[in-house]
Amino acid sequence: GNGGDGTANTGGGGGGSGCASGASSLSSGAGGSGVVIIRMLSSQYTGTVTGSPTVTTDGSYKVVKFTGNGTYTA
């Protein structure tokens, strides 16, 4: 049968397809999307981001987490 898609935000690969006798077309699954996490001192955080990252504070640090397209400019 057809392969399954990779899990979102894990960077996992998609499943391969299995060939059955007489099958004309089978598809492998799509790879899962990835995540980018940037952690920096809050005093160094510029706040210049595009896209929709999640920005949190962890003690003296800012944590910027991208699960889609976007940029951070220092």
Side-chain angles (χ1 to χ4, degrees):
N2 292 327
D5 292 342
T7 304
N9 300 328
T10 64
S17 60
C19 186
S21 177
S24 60
S25 176
L26 296 173
S27 300
S28 59
S33 58
V35 174
V36 173
I37 298 173
I38 304 169
R39 185 173 187 256
M40 70 205 80
L41 285 170
S42 293
S43 62
Q44 300 297 311
Y45 178 64
T46 65
T48 308
V49 296
T50 65
S52 334
T54 302
V55 181
T56 57
T57 301
D58 179 18
S60 299
Y61 294 89
K62 287 286 188 185
V63 179
V64 184
K65 179 180 177 183
F66 291 93
T67 55
N69 291 333
T71 63
Y72 169 75
T73 304

